[in-house]
Amino acid sequence: APRFDRIHNEDYAAAIEEGMRQHIAEVEAIANQATRPTFENTIVALERSGDLLTRVLKTFGGVTSANTNDTLQAIQTEESPKLAAHSDAIFLNDKLFQRVRQIYDRRAQLNFSPEQKYLVERYHLDFVRAGANLSEPDKTRLRALNQEESKLTTDFQNRLLAATKAGALVFSDRSELDGLSEADIASAAEAATERKLPGKWVLRLQNTTQQPAQESLRRRAVRQRLFDASIHRADRGDTVDTRSAIQRIVQLRAERAKLLGYSTAAAYVLDDQMAKTPAAAIKLLTDI
């Protein structure tokens, strides 16, 4: 497990930047080889590239999901568009794609194992779906779409987190929590103390539309308050309203799907899921 006791918030940005730098250097070395592309010098090399960045992002993702703060959110906001550009720099690298495609085109003659064959096909599909076959003007547009979506997605996540915190319910009368266990009531009192509200109780919102406390609370009016706070947490027209971000993200995904040859964003996602699903599972689902 990562040594979180030795990692400071400020360490992540430098680690992400260095991870991207190393990854690009590794990818460039693969793409610029003079030797003919093979499974080992291209596909396996790609599999082994980016190790530092992978470790950093898994660690960073774990801590931001479980224990984020203003510093970590600022790093997310700063690094998200850079990571989108980093991905584009790999998948829109024509030299690299040509090496992958040469192996893909010869896969039937190269006596691959089933696992090797699948990996080659998967890499080729990932490059194509990332825009490797697009014209240069379309690649430029795709990069812009990816940049904007990465920024909006991070903004959406930050707004939703803020809305979830702000949507917590405050109670002055303990009897309104009738039905909750003593442990839950004690937790609500602790949450109030953390917010400098002594003598009160705070029910935090969970990151779902259905709140667990709904099952236990006996007063209908309280359940109604909790439901409304949950369902409307981010649509109140304030600074944490997520609707405009969602609408723009939907537009961006639709445009990207059409750029890549799909009628809708849903068709793009479905095609990806079907490509990842074993043929036997597809047949079973079709039969059902």
Side-chain angles (χ1 to χ4, degrees):
R3 288 293 304 272
F4 288 108
D5 60 319
R6 297 177 60 184
I7 303 173
H8 303 96
N9 290 337
E10 296 76 13
D11 296 333
Y12 287 106
I16 292 170
E17 295 283 345
E18 177 61 18
M20 288 191 288
R21 188 196 67 77
Q22 289 188 19
H23 195 193
I24 288 297
E26 293 162 351
V27 166
E28 289 290 340
I30 297 168
N32 293 323
Q33 293 178 86
T35 54
R36 189 183 189 189
T38 66
F39 184 80
E40 288 293 329
N41 71 19
T42 301
I43 304 301
V44 173
L46 281 171
E47 280 285 285
R48 291 177 174 168
S49 69
D51 180 62
L52 174 61
L53 183 60
T54 298
R55 288 190 290 114
V56 171
L57 291 181
K58 285 184 177 180
T59 305
F60 185 62
V63 74
T64 54
S65 296
N67 191 32
T68 194
N69 55 49
D70 291 343
T71 301
L72 294 177
Q73 286 182 281
I75 293 171
Q76 281 182 300
T77 301
E78 177 72 20
E79 297 299 330
S80 179
K82 294 181 182 180
L83 287 165
H86 175 78
S87 179
D88 286 339
I90 295 171
F91 286 105
L92 300 181
N93 182 323
D94 192 59
K95 284 186 178 180
L96 184 62
F97 176 54
Q98 294 309 321
R99 293 186 69 86
V100 172
R101 185 158 67 179
Q102 287 181 48
I103 300 169
Y104 174 81
D105 289 343
R106 294 184 289 122
R107 67 192 185 283
Q109 292 81 44
L110 292 176
N111 196 31
F112 285 146
S113 69
E115 292 80 9
Q116 289 174 316
K117 181 174 178 290
Y118 175 82
L119 193 59
V120 169
E121 291 173 346
R122 186 67 220 180
Y123 261 100
H124 181 265
L125 181 62
D126 285 345
F127 270 85
V128 171
R129 287 172 51 77
N133 274 329
L134 295 177
S135 66
E136 285 306 317
D138 283 346
K139 285 181 180 179
T140 299
R141 180 56 186 156
L142 181 63
R143 289 187 181 96
L145 294 174
N146 290 341
Q147 283 280 299
E148 187 177 356
E149 185 184 350
S150 70
K151 293 175 183 177
L152 282 171
T153 300
T154 302
D155 180 55
F156 167 80
Q157 292 170 344
N158 290 339
R159 289 189 187 198
L160 180 60
L161 178 60
T164 299
K165 290 179 178 179
L169 297 185
V170 180
F171 297 92
S172 300
D173 185 351
R174 189 181 189 278
S175 67
E176 291 185 285
L177 301 180
D178 184 29
L180 295 186
S181 67
E182 289 300 320
D184 286 339
I185 293 174
S187 178
E190 182 181 351
T193 301
E194 290 174 1
R195 296 185 181 217
K196 296 181 172 46
L197 296 171
K200 298 184 184 297
W201 294 264
V202 169
L203 280 186
R204 297 186 180 98
L205 295 184
Q206 303 296 316
N207 193 23
T208 60
T209 52
Q210 297 182 17
Q211 303 299 314
Q214 294 278 26
E215 287 190 70
S216 304
L217 290 165
R218 291 199 175 100
R219 294 193 180 185
R220 187 184 188 283
V222 175
R223 295 197 304 272
Q224 181 71 45
R225 282 183 61 195
L226 182 57
F227 176 81
D228 288 341
S230 177
I231 204 72
H232 295 297
R233 71 181 76 184
D235 67 359
R236 299 183 185 278
D238 52 16
T239 57
V240 294
D241 193 309
T242 60
R243 288 174 293 181
S244 62
I246 292 171
Q247 289 169 354
R248 182 57 182 154
I249 289 171
V250 169
Q251 291 171 349
L252 292 169
R253 291 179 178 176
E255 183 177 347
R256 182 175 58 203
K258 290 182 179 178
L259 195 63
L260 294 169
Y262 294 87
S263 59
T264 64
Y268 175 85
V269 173
L270 179 61
D271 183 58
D272 185 58
Q273 295 303 313
M274 294 294 281
K276 292 178 180 177
T277 305
I282 293 175
K283 183 179 186 305
L284 178 61
L285 290 170
T286 304
D287 290 344
I288 292 173

